[in-house]
Amino acid sequence: MARITRGVLARPLVLYDGDCAFCRRWAARWQWRTQGRVSYRPGRGWRRWLLGIPKVDMRKAMQLVEPSGRVSRGAEALFRALAASPRRGTRVAARLGLLPGVLHLAQGVYAVVARHRGRAAGVDRWLFGRAVVPHEYRWVRWGFLRLLGGTFLIAFTSLGRQVRGLYGTQGLRPVAERLAAERREEPSALARWRRIPSLFWLDASDAALVRGCRAGQVLSLALLFNVAPRPSVSLLWALYLSYVAVGREFLSFQWDVLLLELGLLAVLTAPGGLRPGLGRDEPSALDVFLFRLLVFRLYFGSGLSKLQSGDTTWRELSACEHYYETAPLPTRGGWYAHHLPRRLQRASTAGVLWLETVVPFLAFGPRRLRQFAFWSLSGLQAAIFATGNYGIFNVQSCVLGLWLLDDAALRRALPLKEGPAARPRPWWRTGVSALVASPLLVLGASEVLRRFSGWQRHQPERVGSMMTWLESRARPLRSVNPYGLFSVMTVQRPEIRVEGSDDGEHWKEYAFRYKVGDPARPPRQVAPHQPRLDWQMWFAALGSPPGWFVAFLARLLEGSPDVLGLLADNPFPERPPRMVRAVLYDYRMTDLAERRRTGSWWRREALGLYVPPLSLAPGPRPQGRIPALQWQARA
């Protein structure tokens, strides 16, 4: 037969059972993978007879006949055929499949599937849909980039309303003061940029901080309307990083670094051109994989952190009994959810753990399972949005989840047209993407392994030093991050009430816009806007007064208009008070009967002083510096 095949076959030939629907579908998929380097024909009549393949062998497994005369069957035939693919990833996977242990296991799986072809065909259609070639993702990319532009627009608009009060010269954490201190400590400009990669090294004035938010809004609109998406998202990433790098605790939330990670991945996949439409290049398999890996890391990291934290509320499935009452900025929906039956609360807790530890693995599964993961995780985000104010987290998580879908799924849900045919991505763009993505992939994978199995503690010394070096270079960019939301559930709700006085006896409260205060005021829905001072007040109440809180009290005594603009009102409109203090309260949600009877949403109990009365220390006050404070003996 070797003599016949040398004369007849110019390239490898795969013969498959043409009467088997399952075989026809997979032969079409492999044909697309090998791109003409392997022929695929039904094993009927003269072909099988000419090549000397018995009919009984043809019915049991596919056959690969190579020009050299070699004949292989089953899983071995599949891997040898795919090894001829021009796609490097397919070739590597095929060669791994030919390894002795792997091949033996694959032959066993192949035999099981071959004996149940009818059922396998039904399962195949359910999992992968009707298409037999890989799905496209240009509409997915198009929708993702538009929605990412909207997310950046929300983020910069929200920050712009607060930036002077948080970071201005009369704010809580003056950026200009911090960068000036860094200049004094580090003479090397390059070292400073590495530690704090921020455009505000060039200008950190109040006007520059405001202009940066305005520029972010303009760039967000450009990305939203598909104007120069690649440079637009690149500048958005650099600009938001500039704020996060100098933002300290007020810009240290997980959704801030998640937005940076989304932005960096978007830079890799965004099409070029001024008005590219869907883009001429198809998103690469690496692009799609990196986004799906981020979906997995976000949810699985959060689920794993809950299990590893040792928190008893998650282990006993009682976390949701406390969650709605102790959320940093609760909503009215959270108030009602808090009064659901205990059995339903426990079921909700179990559902969260299942959604965050099992469902994320479906991100790497067939399309039907990915669609299930998309709707399940989107439902989780909708429930979180309805019961708590978490800024842009819910929005960006749903935007990221689009990469679990494909163009065909979007066209079934939306009136989208078929775009022009995509061209192969240029080799240089693929190379650049792989070069940039490789450290992201290594760091992301190592982060998962480290959290899942303690891998980093047992890795070889050379690998450990390489990972340490890579992480030290990537850490200032804040674009590859661990995620672990709600890993420890807070079971009590302390709240800080800030008061001012002129005589030490009569105290007036400073009312915040959104945080819990007046028991009769209902919880508000404020997301996707994030009032960052209100958020940090919740964290401050859980421990001793942080440095920014002392600065906040000093700015109130100074009468800073930028800081007062972060509050709901100013009880001292004519001049600042002579002293301020902070009192700690314990808050609990009222039950339904008490709510109807009193009209109150909360009940509270005073716990004592959080910060005793303070006043401004005498002496000169440098412009822009946070003034010094002194204790007051009279309370």
Side-chain angles (χ1 to χ4, degrees):
M1 188 173 67
R3 183 177 65 254
I4 295 176
T5 56
R6 288 194 185 99
V8 172
L9 299 181
R11 54 185 173 173
L13 172 65
V14 169
L15 298 178
Y16 60 89
D17 185 356
D19 298 324
C20 170
F22 180 81
C23 302
R24 291 196 303 269
R25 289 168 62 82
W26 280 98
R29 292 185 177 117
W30 298 329
Q31 187 171 15
W32 183 88
R33 286 285 176 187
T34 52
Q35 295 186 359
R37 295 190 179 185
V38 178
S39 297
Y40 293 83
R41 298 289 184 271
R44 300 190 186 102
W46 65 270
R47 290 192 185 92
R48 179 178 55 77
W49 175 82
L50 181 63
L51 296 173
I53 298 175
K55 184 176 181 178
V56 64
D57 290 349
M58 188 70 257
R59 301 286 295 182
K60 288 181 178 179
M62 62 176 282
Q63 310 284 321
L64 171 68
V65 184
E66 301 179 51
S68 64
R70 177 170 180 165
V71 178
S72 51
R73 55 180 293 181
E76 182 182 3
L78 166 62
F79 291 134
R80 292 185 66 85
L82 294 179
S85 171
R87 297 172 178 268
R88 179 175 298 178
T90 302
R91 292 201 306 270
V92 171
R95 289 166 184 165
L96 290 175
L98 289 170
L99 295 176
V102 179
L103 180 59
H104 180 75
L105 178 63
Q107 289 283 30
V109 174
Y110 187 99
V112 172
V113 174
R115 287 196 299 268
H116 303 88
R117 297 181 191 180
R119 293 180 182 177
V123 172
D124 175 73
R125 283 193 298 271
W126 186 84
L127 288 176
F128 296 97
R130 296 181 179 276
V132 295
V133 296
H135 290 276
E136 295 184 346
Y137 297 94
R138 285 195 295 166
W139 274 115
V140 170
R141 177 179 62 188
W142 186 92
F144 167 78
L145 291 174
R146 305 293 76 74
L147 294 174
L148 182 63
T151 306
F152 269 113
L153 179 61
I154 295 170
F156 277 109
T157 302
S158 175
L159 181 60
R161 296 170 57 181
Q162 312 168 71
V163 68
R164 288 174 63 98
L166 296 176
Y167 301 116
T169 53
Q170 296 296 317
L172 303 180
R173 290 295 199 189
V175 170
E177 182 180 330
R178 181 187 180 188
L179 296 182
E182 291 286 342
R183 285 191 179 95
R184 292 192 294 269
E185 294 179 6
E186 178 54 68
S188 170
L190 181 60
R192 293 198 301 265
W193 278 83
R194 282 179 177 174
R195 285 177 55 185
I196 305 177
S198 176
L199 298 174
F200 295 114
W201 284 111
L202 306 176
D203 184 3
S205 65
D206 290 5
L209 293 171
V210 174
R211 283 198 303 267
C213 291
R214 300 294 177 264
Q217 290 174 309
V218 172
L219 291 168
S220 300
L221 288 172
L223 183 60
L224 182 62
F225 290 103
N226 201 22
V227 177
R230 192 183 301 163
S232 295
V233 74
S234 301
L235 292 172
L236 281 168
W237 174 80
L239 188 55
Y240 203 72
L241 174 62
S242 298
Y243 284 99
V244 173
V246 298
R248 294 193 276 192
E249 56 274 291
F250 291 108
L251 276 165
S252 64
F253 297 96
Q254 296 208 4
W255 37 94
D256 291 315
V257 294
L258 177 59
L259 185 58
L260 288 174
E261 193 157 357
L262 286 174
L264 186 57
L265 292 181
V267 172
L268 299 180
T269 192
L274 182 62
R275 295 285 291 168
L278 290 179
R280 299 179 64 185
D281 301 338
E282 176 75 14
S284 69
L286 179 60
D287 296 336
V288 177
F289 176 76
L290 285 173
F291 280 110
R292 290 177 180 170
L293 179 62
L294 181 54
V295 172
F296 175 81
R297 288 169 45 219
L298 173 63
Y299 288 100
F300 186 70
S302 298
L304 192 62
S305 67
K306 293 176 176 59
L307 299 178
Q308 292 181 333
S309 67
D311 184 65
T312 57
T313 64
W314 288 109
R315 295 181 181 273
E316 297 173 358
L317 301 182
S318 61
C320 285
E321 297 177 33
H322 308 282
Y323 163 73
Y324 307 109
E325 186 176 52
T326 61
L329 295 181
T331 67
R332 192 173 299 197
W335 189 91
Y336 285 104
H338 178 66
H339 299 92
L340 293 173
R342 184 180 182 187
R343 184 174 298 177
L344 186 57
Q345 303 278 26
R346 296 176 66 86
S348 300
T349 307
V352 169
L353 292 175
W354 181 76
L355 286 168
E356 291 185 345
T357 57
V358 177
V359 173
F361 286 94
L362 304 184
F364 307 114
R367 68 188 305 265
R368 190 63 65 94
L369 297 182
R370 293 198 309 272
Q371 291 175 14
F372 173 78
F374 169 79
W375 291 112
S376 299
L377 298 176
S378 297
L380 173 63
Q381 292 302 327
I384 295 173
F385 179 83
T387 56
N389 290 291
Y390 295 94
I392 58 174
F393 172 65
N394 313 115
V395 175
Q396 63 187 170
S397 298
C398 291
V399 171
L400 172 62
L402 280 180
W403 288 97
L404 299 178
L405 305 177
D406 51 53
D407 288 0
L410 290 184
R411 279 195 294 268
R412 282 199 299 272
L414 301 171
L416 305 177
K417 299 179 180 179
E418 290 278 358
R423 68 178 184 181
R425 173 174 281 200
W427 65 269
W428 61 268
R429 275 215 65 196
T430 303
V432 170
S433 295
L435 182 64
V436 176
S438 55
L440 302 181
L441 188 60
V442 170
L443 288 172
S446 67
E447 182 253 317
V448 173
L449 290 172
R450 178 170 62 249
R451 299 185 66 173
F452 186 65
S453 61
W455 170 76
Q456 194 176 35
R457 295 194 300 270
H458 308 291
Q459 59 188 324
E461 182 178 353
R462 180 176 298 179
V463 176
S465 60
M466 180 191 70
M467 290 302 302
T468 301
W469 179 86
L470 189 59
E471 288 178 348
S472 67
R473 293 297 184 270
R475 191 178 302 113
L477 300 180
R478 296 165 174 82
S479 296
V480 183
N481 310 284
Y483 298 98
L485 299 167
F486 315 116
S487 58
V488 176
M489 190 58 62
T490 305
V491 298
Q492 293 181 324
R493 184 180 194 90
E495 287 285 352
I496 301 171
R497 173 173 167 154
V498 180
E499 301 171 333
S501 175
D502 288 323
D503 56 13
E505 294 183 1
H506 302 90
W507 295 88
K508 297 180 182 179
E509 178 185 4
Y510 284 91
F512 287 77
R513 292 181 185 272
Y514 307 106
K515 92 174 192 70
V516 175
D518 182 359
R521 188 177 69 178
R524 297 183 58 181
Q525 183 73 53
V526 60
H529 169 59
Q530 183 183 359
R532 295 179 181 269
L533 174 60
D534 297 60
W535 253 87
Q536 286 297 339
M537 289 293 293
W538 181 84
F539 283 108
L542 301 177
S544 57
W548 69 261
F549 185 77
V550 178
F552 172 58
L553 298 180
R555 292 305 192 195
L556 294 181
L557 289 169
E558 193 179 36
S560 167
D562 293 333
V563 171
L564 289 169
L566 301 174
L567 304 177
D569 59 26
N570 177 15
F572 300 91
E574 296 181 0
R575 58 181 177 82
R578 196 168 61 85
M579 61 186 72
V580 292
R581 71 178 184 182
V583 184
L584 199 63
Y585 285 83
D586 179 66
Y587 275 72
R588 294 292 174 182
M589 285 180 171
T590 57
D591 55 34
L592 295 172
E594 186 178 354
R595 167 79 183 92
R596 296 190 190 100
R597 186 178 66 256
T598 65
S600 296
W601 298 83
W602 302 91
R603 68 174 78 94
R604 68 182 180 184
E605 178 184 353
L607 299 177
L609 284 176
Y610 180 70
V611 173
L614 298 174
S615 64
L616 291 175
R621 303 173 192 171
Q623 180 67 25
R625 290 288 189 90
I626 296 174
L629 303 178
Q630 64 181 7
W631 305 110
Q632 291 294 308
R634 186 179 184 183

